[in-house]
């Protein structure tokens, strides 16, 4: 296993004029939502602390994760380390708590944005958010209104930097013309590479950082499960995703073989090779890349950060290259809220 767990990870600027952050962040969603209950909250809190020790400084949450409970969960850690971390949260998704993975409503209007930021500030216990994302785009609301409202929050000191999630290249350009965008968060992994078609190029052109979410394919790339319906709990969101069920899951599991061979040859985990691939896209595309894998354990955060010190060879990259084109099933059952759905 690639170790070096005592080494602090490198840093990178989060977009032109953005904060300096560790080259890998931490997605906090799973500590409160989507992947079943957190049985050991003390370990999850220790994971936050260990991440910071290892140089992880970008901590990512959203108001919809656990219906505010994820923001509340990390608030004590955030306040205790306020000057050492870059805090990211998001607005835009409204869900019914009685049907948490059911129909969602996307809100980008100015009154909602102002209401959402106040709620996040209160739950997090801070007076300023370092990076505030529009979590999803509602094309019925002009970007000038949405980003204009976000820019007002910057002028008022409630937010430092602006981000967008799951936007198209043209939407990114239009938003950036209203106010500088520091980062775009989209799914990017060995299984999900659609943003490379146009979004990555636009980000490079504008000096915007890429923050890949689900860089481990929601855990599938680690080999920790194959059939979501059989292996994961009833309240696990992955049971609803086409890639992880039925014939799709079996076909996709077979795609991990090149990953497994490289991991075995290097004495690394599958997760480390998958993360190393994402981290290396910074060199491939000439853009800042800060993936935010999620975990609840210190052992995993040590493995994940160790991946930042693995550089894949040209032959290894070539062996991994065909995987995404062979993946069976879409990222979500309903892709309408993703950038691909509007390209």
């Amino acid at each position: 296993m690639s170790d070096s767990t005592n080494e602090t990870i490198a840093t990178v600027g989060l977009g032109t004029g953005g904060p300096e952050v560790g080259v890998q962040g931490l997605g906090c969603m799973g500590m409160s939502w989507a992947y079943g209950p957190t049985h050991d909250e003390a370990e999850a809190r220790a994971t936050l602390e260990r991440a910071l020790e290892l140089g992880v400084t970008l901590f990512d949450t959203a108001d919809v994760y656990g219906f505010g409970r994820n923001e509340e969960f990390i608030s004590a850690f955030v306040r205790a380390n306020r000057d050492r971390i870059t805090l990211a949260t998001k607005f835009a998704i409204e869900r019914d708590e009685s049907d948490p993975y059911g129909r969602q409503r996307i809100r980008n209007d100015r009154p909602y944005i102002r209401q959402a930021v106040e709620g996040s500030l209160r739950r997090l216990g801070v007076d300023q958010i370092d990076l505030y994302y529009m979590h999803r785009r509602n094309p019925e609301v002009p970007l000038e209104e949405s980003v204009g409202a976000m820019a007002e929050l910057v002028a008022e000191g409630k937010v430092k930097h602006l981000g967008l999630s799951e936007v198209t290249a043209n939407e990114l350009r239009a938003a950036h013309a209203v106010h500088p965008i520091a980062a775009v968060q989209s799914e990017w992994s060995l299984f999900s590479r659609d943003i490379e078609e146009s979004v990555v190029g636009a980000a490079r052109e504008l000096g915007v950082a890429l923050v890949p979410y689900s860089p481990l394919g929601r855990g599938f790339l680690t080999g920790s499960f194959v059939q979501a319906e059989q292996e994961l709990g009833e309240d696990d969101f992955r049971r609803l995703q086409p890639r992880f069920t039925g014939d799709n899951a079996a076909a996709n599991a077979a795609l991990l073989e090149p990953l497994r061979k490289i991991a075995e040859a290097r004495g690394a985990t599958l997760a480390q090779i998958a993360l190393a691939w994402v981290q290396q896209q910074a060199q491939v595309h000439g853009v800042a890349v800060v993936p935010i894998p999620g975990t609840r354990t210190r052992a995993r955060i040590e493995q994940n950060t160790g991946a930042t010190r693995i550089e894949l060879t040209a032959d290894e990259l070539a062996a991994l290259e065909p995987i995404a084109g062979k993946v069976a099933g879409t990222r979500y059952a309903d892709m309408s809220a993703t950038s691909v759905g509007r390209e």
Side-chain angles (χ1 to χ4, degrees), residues 187-252:
E187 187 164 353
W188 197 7
S189 73
L190 282 168
F191 266 28
S192 302
R193 299 181 57 179
D194 45 75
I195 68 163
E196 293 175 34
E197 293 182 22
S198 59
V199 177
V200 173
R204 181 178 60 245
E205 163 196 324
L206 299 170
V208 175
L210 273 298
V211 178
Y213 73 82
S214 298
L216 293 173
R218 300 190 185 276
F220 194 87
L221 288 165
T222 70
S224 60
F225 74 96
V226 175
Q227 290 286 352
E229 290 169 308
Q230 298 172 19
E231 300 173 52
L232 304 179
E234 290 187 6
D235 55 353
D236 196 304
F237 170 64
R238 292 169 290 188
R239 291 166 60 100
L240 304 175
Q241 294 188 291
R243 290 182 172 175
F244 309 140
T245 56
D247 292 342
N248 286 349
N252 292 335

